[in-house]
Amino acid sequence: MDPVTNDQRAPATGVRTTEPLTQYLQRVNQRVRAFDRRHPLLWDLHVTGFWVTAALVDYTSGGWRTITHDPDTPGPLLLVLSLGLSVPLLRRRTHPVAVLLAMVPFALVNAWSGAALQAALLQLLVIYHIALRLPLRDLWWSTALVLTPVVIATARYGEGDHVNQQIGSQLTSVLVVVLIGITVRTRQNYTKALEDRARRLEIERDQQAQLAAAAERARIAREMHDIIGHNLSVITGLADGGRYAAGKSPERAAQALDAIGTTSRQALGELRRLLDVLKDEGTAAHPAELAPQPALTDLDRLIDGVRNAGLPVHITVEGRSTLSPGRQLTVYRVVQEALTNTLKHAGPDATSEISIVHGDRGAVTVTITDTGTLGTPAAADGRGLPGMRERTALYGGTLEAGPHPERGWRVHLHLPEETPQ
């Protein structure tokens, strides 16, 4: 089984991927938006040109006569009104208020003269941009300006219920446009907030990874400090005892010297590993904790606590342990992290099995499996598996973590034999 390189357990089923057509449309939309940001005037010219052409076609084809109140409206006036109600749209995105104020006089003349050109409806496009870009309080007076020509036209040419219908229809159109503008505006703000949050999360993720590595190195340094301090204390005691025994019992003195050599070589190996971890760190470790570091003898207490938390755990041990304190601590932390992840993420009714196989000269193989069916096994901040791998690398070992071929999750640790110093 290939080792998992990240800190997550990929769900086996239920993964929804984006459809190819959706991806294509998203890419096209992003490219169009990017082009518009680089060349906004080009898009404005196209939109304005379209509506100017539509207004002139309505004028030249005589389509305006189907709804006009005065078929005898002079042609030059109709041309001026058509251009006055469409050309200002060129600046609708950058200066929507100024565009609306420029169009209102033409809309008033259009209503008073009875021409009733449909180009007056282009004011709704300006209202949309006001709702999209300006404070919402500007919509009150903007709506009043747009409705004023309608009130004038219905007052001059409308009768009875026709007046209320005209005003109600125009008011409904304005409300629909305003709602569309607010909806688009909300969506844009939400998208910008998500993009900003994603950028901040990326920065925070990198910072957290650096902090996690630094914190793990500092914690390893504190633990190694306790181990090395213990070894030096043992060496000191053996040296004092050997000095007193040298005159009366040379054999005991020789045994003390052998023990001093073994202990000092072990402490030297631990110190070299510590320097390898901390050689690129510029920050000092915190003072060592006073509590003794866990060892294999503490596994029973750890497993009892996990069982009390509701996770059935079965453990098998083969061989006799010859691990140094540093290796025992690594095994303990890996088992602790694996059981913690199982408790958090394996789901209800899960069980766990631990297999520890001891070899010669400090070699050990540890396999932790569970029968979980849910989610990711490691903590969301990414400190679980990286910390376990960093501890394993101190002793030249390997750590594999990933889905079990049959069910659940599997963590496999192997520490090779210790090389003589």
Side-chain angles (χ1 to χ4, degrees):
M1 181 182 64
D2 295 335
V4 176
T5 57
N6 56 25
D7 217 19
Q8 295 182 343
R9 175 187 297 185
T13 59
V15 178
R16 296 185 60 185
T17 59
T18 307
E19 297 295 334
L21 179 59
T22 304
Q23 292 179 344
Y24 174 76
L25 293 177
Q26 289 176 350
R27 288 195 300 268
V28 171
N29 181 53
Q30 291 174 357
R31 291 174 182 174
V32 171
R33 289 180 178 274
F35 181 82
D36 182 42
R37 285 192 294 268
R38 293 192 302 268
H39 310 284
L41 182 60
L42 184 60
W43 176 254
D44 290 338
L45 285 173
H46 277 80
V47 173
T48 304
F50 173 81
W51 290 116
V52 169
T53 302
L56 293 178
V57 168
D58 183 56
Y59 159 66
T60 57
S61 65
W64 60 278
R65 296 182 181 275
T66 59
I67 61 172
T68 185
H69 300 294
D70 184 5
D72 298 327
T73 304
L77 178 60
L78 293 174
L79 178 61
V80 171
L81 293 177
S82 298
L83 296 176
L85 291 171
S86 58
V87 173
L89 292 177
L90 181 64
R91 309 293 292 177
R92 73 194 184 283
R93 291 200 292 182
T94 55
H95 301 85
V97 173
V99 170
L100 182 62
L101 294 176
M103 296 173 69
V104 164
F106 297 97
L108 292 174
V109 173
N110 179 56
W112 184 265
S113 64
L117 294 176
Q118 296 186 68
L121 296 176
L122 295 177
Q123 295 175 100
L124 296 177
L125 186 58
V126 183
I127 292 292
Y128 166 79
H129 284 282
I130 291 177
L132 184 64
R133 292 176 170 81
L134 298 182
L136 298 181
R137 62 176 178 270
D138 292 333
L139 291 174
W140 297 105
W141 61 264
S142 301
T143 302
L145 285 179
V146 173
L147 292 178
T148 299
V150 179
V151 174
I152 293 175
T154 53
R156 277 179 62 88
Y157 303 102
E159 295 181 359
D161 294 337
H162 184 68
V163 175
N164 296 330
Q165 287 180 346
Q166 289 291 329
I167 297 177
S169 176
Q170 184 71 2
L171 181 59
T172 301
S173 301
V174 172
L175 291 177
V176 171
V177 169
V178 167
L179 289 177
I180 294 174
I182 293 176
T183 301
V184 174
R185 179 177 185 167
T186 303
R187 180 66 180 178
Q188 289 179 350
N189 292 339
Y190 179 70
T191 303
K192 290 179 181 178
L194 288 180
E195 292 174 350
D196 180 68
R197 183 172 182 269
R199 286 192 295 267
R200 289 188 284 107
L201 286 177
E202 289 178 357
I203 296 174
E204 184 178 353
R205 179 197 61 194
D206 296 339
Q207 293 175 344
Q208 289 293 338
Q210 296 173 1
L211 291 175
E216 187 63 23
R217 289 188 174 95
R219 184 167 66 168
I220 293 173
R222 293 195 297 270
E223 295 169 352
M224 300 287 279
H225 177 274
D226 289 346
I227 296 171
I228 295 172
H230 168 74
N231 290 331
L232 292 179
S233 297
V234 172
I235 290 173
T236 302
L238 290 172
D240 291 340
R243 180 168 58 85
Y244 288 121
K248 298 181 180 180
S249 179
E251 294 182 359
R252 289 183 175 271
Q255 292 176 357
L257 290 176
D258 290 339
I260 288 174
T262 302
T263 306
S264 61
R265 282 192 294 271
Q266 180 178 326
L268 182 60
E270 302 286 358
L271 180 60
R272 285 174 176 171
R273 295 187 187 95
L274 171 62
L275 295 177
D276 287 340
V277 174
L278 301 179
K279 63 184 179 181
D280 61 340
E281 292 295 319
T283 58
H286 294 289
E289 297 176 357
L290 298 180
Q293 298 298 334
L296 290 182
T297 55
D298 298 305
L299 277 178
D300 290 338
R301 184 174 57 182
L302 171 66
I303 292 173
D304 288 340
V306 173
R307 287 170 177 164
N308 293 334
L311 175 64
V313 180
H314 177 70
I315 181 170
T316 58
V317 180
E318 299 180 14
R320 182 175 176 273
S321 173
T322 58
L323 299 178
S324 64
R327 288 177 172 238
Q328 291 188 45
L329 179 60
T330 297
V331 172
Y332 179 91
R333 294 301 187 196
V334 169
V335 173
Q336 181 185 47
E337 184 68 25
L339 292 178
T340 301
N341 290 335
T342 301
L343 276 173
K344 288 182 178 179
H345 306 288
D349 302 325
T351 61
S352 181
E353 184 173 354
I354 302 172
S355 172
I356 302 178
V357 180
H358 293 286
D360 298 329
R361 293 189 298 177
V364 65
T365 300
V366 182
T367 303
I368 308 103
T369 59
D370 65 57
T371 59
T373 57
L374 302 177
T376 59
D381 59 5
R383 299 185 185 182
L385 292 178
M388 295 160 67
R389 290 195 174 96
E390 190 168 3
R391 287 180 178 277
T392 304
L394 286 175
Y395 300 95
T398 59
L399 179 76
E400 298 177 0
H404 195 276
E406 297 179 359
R407 182 186 180 189
W409 192 258
R410 174 178 178 269
V411 177
H412 181 77
L413 166 70
H414 176 71
L415 299 181
E417 296 180 356
E418 289 189 281
T419 56
Q421 303 294 329

